[in-house]
Amino acid sequence: MGTAAQTPTLRWTGDSIEIIDQTRLPAQLELIDVRDVATAVDAIERLAIRGAPALGAFGALALVVGLDEAQPASTTEARAVLERLRTEIGDARPTAVNLRWAVDRTIDAALGDAAVRSVAELRRRLVSEALAISEEDARACAEIGRLGRELLAEATVIATHCNAGRLATAGTGTALAVAYAKAAGGDPVRVLAAETRPLLQGARLTAWELADAGIDVSVVADAAMVSLIAGGEVDAVIVGADRIAANGDTANKVGTLMHALAAAEAGIGFYVAAPTTTIDPAVTSGDRIVIEQRDPDEVHHAGGSRLTPIGVEAINPAFDVTPARLISAIITDAGVLHPPYGESIAAALAATRCGQPGDRRC
C-alpha cells in the first residue's frame, strides 16, 4: 500500500477523511475511510489518529463528515448539528487542546457574522476552514523544524519520547521536524526513541517513520533512556506537547517528566516543540490540565498477551506534566520561547490568532 513517505497521515477525499490506522503500525499500513461521526470518534478514542496537531486537523474535517451524515434540511437544522458535533467531536480526547480549538474555530468561522444562505454554502465554509487548519499546521511544522535546527545546531544525538512526527501532524511533525530539518540540511543526526509504554508510540511509530525517511534511529526502553542521558550519550532531549499552560507547564505523553528530570540532572537541554495552537492561555498552570485516564487493559496487555496477574489493578494516565522550570526552551512557529514563559508565551500569542478576538482559547 506504500510507505510512510508516500502515504499522508490524513487526507480529505472530498466526501471522506482517509487516515492511516496507527494502531496497525508498524506491522501493517492500513487506511481507514472515515464517513461518519461514530467512526471519527472511535478513531480518536482508540488512537488510530493521534497527536495534538493531527487531531485538530482531523476534528475539523470530521465536522464536514458529520454534517453530510446528518443531511440537515435547513441551515437552522445544520447549526443544531454543528453545535452537537462541537461537543461530540471536540471533547473526544480531553487533554489535547488542538482538537477542541480546531472544532470551535471551524464551526465559528463557517457560521461567521454573515448570513449563511444554504447548507451547501455552510459545508463549503467548513471545508475551506478545515483545510486551512491543515495547511497552517504544515507551515508551522516547517518553521519549527527550521528554528529547531538552528537552536540545536551542535546536537547530534537527540532523544525523544512518544511520537511527535509526521504521524502526529499535518506536516513533518513538531519534535521530529527538527530531525527531518537536520537530515535535509545534511547535518549529522541520530534519534533515540523511547519506547513509550504502554502503547509503544515511540517503538512503533517514531521508529517506523524515521526509518522510512532514512534517518538513523534506535529504540530505547523508557527507563534505560535516563541512564543514557546521565551517562552523557545524549546531546539534547526534544518532545512534542498536547497542551501548554500559560506559564509554560507542558502536558505530554506519560513518561516525559522523567526524561526532563534526567536532562536537568545531566545538564543538557530539554526542549518542547509545538505550534502556538497547542498553548492554552486559559489554563494558568499545569495542575489545571485535565489528564486523560485510559483503559487499564492497555497496561495489562501487550501484543495480545496479558502481562500482569489476574486480579491486580493497573493505573493508566495518558499524560504527565513537565514543570516549566525544567524546560530549556519552547520551539514554536512564532519563534523560540525562553523563560520567563508567562511573558514569552503572552508575546507569542499576541502575534498569532490567539491574540485576536473570537479565539475561544483566549
Side-chain angles (χ1 to χ4, degrees):
M1 189 176 289
T3 68
Q6 298 169 334
T7 307
T9 301
L10 69 160
R11 183 177 72 90
W12 176 242
T13 69
D15 58 6
S16 67
I17 317 165
E18 188 178 82
I19 64 171
I20 294 176
D21 185 347
Q22 298 187 32
T23 67
R24 300 286 187 175
L25 295 174
Q28 185 178 1
L29 180 58
E30 182 176 310
L31 302 182
I32 302 173
D33 191 40
V34 180
R35 293 179 175 272
D36 57 73
V37 174
T39 302
V41 171
D42 177 68
I44 293 170
E45 291 180 342
R46 67 183 182 85
L47 309 188
I49 181 83
R50 39 145 302 281
L55 286 172
F58 178 75
L61 288 169
L63 294 171
V64 187
V65 168
L67 187 70
D68 289 348
E69 181 186 14
Q71 297 184 333
S74 66
T75 57
T76 300
E77 288 184 18
R79 286 173 180 267
V81 169
L82 291 179
E83 289 306 322
R84 171 176 59 81
L85 296 178
R86 190 192 294 273
T87 300
E88 189 173 352
I89 295 171
D91 293 346
R93 291 200 73 190
T95 303
V97 68
N98 295 64
L99 177 57
R100 183 58 186 260
W101 165 80
V103 166
D104 285 341
R105 170 180 158 177
T106 303
I107 292 174
D108 295 346
L111 295 178
D113 297 327
V116 181
R117 296 181 179 85
S118 67
V119 175
E121 180 185 350
L122 180 58
R123 185 185 188 277
R124 285 193 296 272
R125 291 186 186 183
L126 287 171
V127 171
S128 176
E129 194 68 17
L131 292 178
I133 287 173
S134 291
E135 292 164 4
E136 289 168 15
D137 183 55
R139 290 195 296 270
C141 289
E143 182 65 3
I144 288 169
R146 185 187 71 81
L147 293 171
R149 181 191 176 200
E150 291 180 357
L151 183 64
L152 278 65
E154 303 303 317
T156 298
V157 181
I158 298 173
T160 191
H161 188 69
C162 197
N163 174 260
R166 60 181 303 277
L167 289 171
T169 67
T172 56
T174 53
L176 294 191
V178 179
Y180 285 123
K182 278 179 164 288
D187 303 340
V189 61
R190 180 188 181 204
V191 177
L192 302 182
E195 278 185 314
T196 321
R197 279 281 296 151
L199 295 182
L200 303 172
Q201 291 96 328
R204 295 188 303 106
L205 307 181
T206 295
W208 183 72
E209 68 166 87
L210 290 179
D212 182 82
I215 294 175
D216 186 1
V217 58
S218 297
V219 176
V220 180
D222 291 353
M225 188 74 82
V226 174
S227 62
L228 293 181
I229 293 170
E233 298 185 47
V234 175
D235 298 324
V237 182
I238 182 167
V239 300
D242 285 85
R243 189 181 295 246
I244 301 172
N247 71 340
D249 292 349
T250 296
N252 193 51
K253 184 58 59 181
V254 67
T256 299
L257 177 57
M258 69 178 178
H259 301 314
L261 290 167
E265 178 66 20
I268 66 171
F270 178 87
Y271 302 94
V272 170
T276 52
T277 53
T278 302
I279 300 171
D280 188 349
V283 173
T284 55
S285 63
D287 58 3
R288 300 192 63 182
I289 295 175
V290 176
I291 300 298
E292 177 185 359
Q293 301 294 320
R294 293 186 60 80
D295 190 339
D297 278 348
E298 293 177 349
V299 176
H300 287 308
H301 296 85
S305 299
R306 185 167 181 111
L307 305 176
T308 59
I310 300 295
V312 172
E313 295 185 357
I315 301 171
N316 189 19
F319 306 92
D320 59 26
V321 175
T322 298
R325 61 182 171 79
L326 296 177
I327 300 171
S328 304
I330 301 174
I331 308 166
T332 78
D333 51 310
V336 178
L337 311 185
H338 298 279
Y341 289 116
E343 296 176 11
S344 59
I345 285 175
L349 294 184
T352 65
R353 275 186 187 275
C354 194
Q356 301 173 11
D359 193 311
R360 287 171 176 259
R361 297 172 305 146
C362 303

